[in-house]
């Protein structure tokens, strides 16, 4: 049985981890170590909590490795949200109390409206990116542009061009079938 496992985090372990992460980030330019240092600064594990240093380490990790860009973007979004929530009381006093009360009452509708607008903008921009511009086949298949459900017609076959100085090639004559008297 695993009865001796302790779930209490030791501060000394965080300090040791931060020491090793700092060495790896400075000497080996390791993006994972930079990201972990940013995370430790964000939460205050093994060092004092500092959002500005956390952002600096997150940015360094994103510059070091292309694979770190998505996790860093998520971490920075979370960091910004936490920073805003911690400092909301400072900003709340600058607004009209009646507007703050209305916003608190209908915050979900405002958020839903904002998300719908962002989704609409995303769909609009993605829709415009998917439309191919096809100028090569405009002269060949003019009939197909009117009805998109009509199957495509094969292009007309062109006769090979004659070189100058040679007589034109004779077309083989079709045999005429004798007409039967009626």
């Amino acid at each position: 049985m695993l009865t001796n496992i302790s779930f209490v985090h030791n501060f000394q372990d965080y300090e040791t981890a931060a020491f090793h992460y700092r060495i790896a980030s400075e000497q080996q330019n390791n993006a994972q170590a930079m990201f972990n240092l940013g995370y430790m600064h964000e939460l205050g594990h093994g060092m004092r909590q500092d959002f500005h240093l956390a952002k600096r380490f997150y940015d360094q990790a994103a510059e070091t490795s292309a694979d770190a860009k998505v996790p860093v973007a998520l971490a920075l979004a979370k960091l910004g949200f936490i920073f805003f929530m911690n400092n909301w009381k400072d900003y709340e006093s600058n607004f009209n109390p009646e507007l703050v009360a209305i916003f608190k009452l209908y915050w979900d509708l405002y958020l839903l409206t904002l998300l719908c607008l962002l989704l609409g903008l995303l769909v609009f921009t993605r829709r415009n990116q998917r439309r191919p511009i096809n100028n090569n086949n405009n002269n060949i298949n003019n009939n197909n542009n009117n009805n998109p459900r009509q199957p495509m017609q094969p292009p007309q076959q062109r006769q090979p061009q004659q070189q100058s100085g040679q007589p034109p090639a004779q077309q083989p004559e079709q045999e005429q079938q004798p007409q039967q008297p009626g």
Side-chain angles (χ1 to χ4, degrees):
M1 299 292 293
L2 300 173
T3 58
N4 294 335
I5 295 178
S6 174
F7 290 104
V8 177
H9 298 290
N10 190 350
F11 188 75
Q12 183 67 27
D13 292 339
Y14 286 128
E15 285 181 345
T16 306
F19 174 75
H20 291 294
Y21 286 144
R22 192 170 307 275
I23 289 173
S25 69
E26 291 172 358
Q27 293 178 357
Q28 299 173 1
N29 215 17
N30 188 327
Q32 181 69 46
M34 293 174 190
F35 183 87
N36 289 346
L37 279 171
Y39 185 74
M40 292 177 80
H41 276 289
E42 179 183 341
L43 298 178
H45 291 314
M47 56 196 68
R48 65 180 176 80
Q49 186 176 20
D50 189 352
F51 290 132
H52 300 289
L53 278 176
K55 183 182 181 322
R56 181 182 300 169
F57 280 112
Y58 285 145
D59 290 338
Q60 286 177 354
E63 290 173 5
T64 302
S65 174
D67 294 336
K69 290 190 186 276
V70 173
V72 165
L74 293 172
L76 286 174
K78 181 184 133 198
L79 186 68
F81 181 75
I82 290 172
F83 184 77
F84 177 75
M85 292 307 290
N86 287 344
N87 297 320
W88 170 249
K89 297 295 179 192
D90 297 338
Y91 298 116
E92 190 175 3
S93 63
N94 294 337
F95 296 113
N96 185 355
E98 293 173 2
L99 290 177
V100 171
I102 291 172
F103 180 75
K104 284 183 179 180
L105 184 63
Y106 298 112
W107 70 270
D108 53 345
L109 295 177
Y110 296 125
L111 181 63
L112 184 63
T113 303
L114 178 67
L115 290 176
C116 286
L117 288 173
L118 288 175
L119 180 64
L121 181 65
L122 179 70
V123 168
F124 178 74
T125 57
R126 296 287 294 175
R127 189 171 142 227
N128 286 341
Q129 289 176 355
R130 290 187 182 174
R131 291 185 181 170
I133 299 175
N134 194 1
N135 292 332
N136 297 350
N137 295 333
N138 285 347
N139 295 335
I140 297 173
N141 297 323
N142 285 335
N143 294 339
N144 292 337
N145 293 337
N146 297 336
N147 188 358
R149 294 184 182 193
Q150 181 181 13
M152 292 198 54
Q153 304 284 331
Q156 300 287 336
Q157 293 182 353
R158 289 195 250 167
Q159 298 293 330
Q161 293 182 353
Q162 300 289 326
Q163 293 183 358
S164 62
Q166 293 183 352
Q170 301 241 343
Q171 295 287 335
E173 294 184 18
Q174 294 181 354
E175 294 180 21
Q176 293 182 350
Q177 295 186 1
Q179 293 182 356
Q180 295 180 359

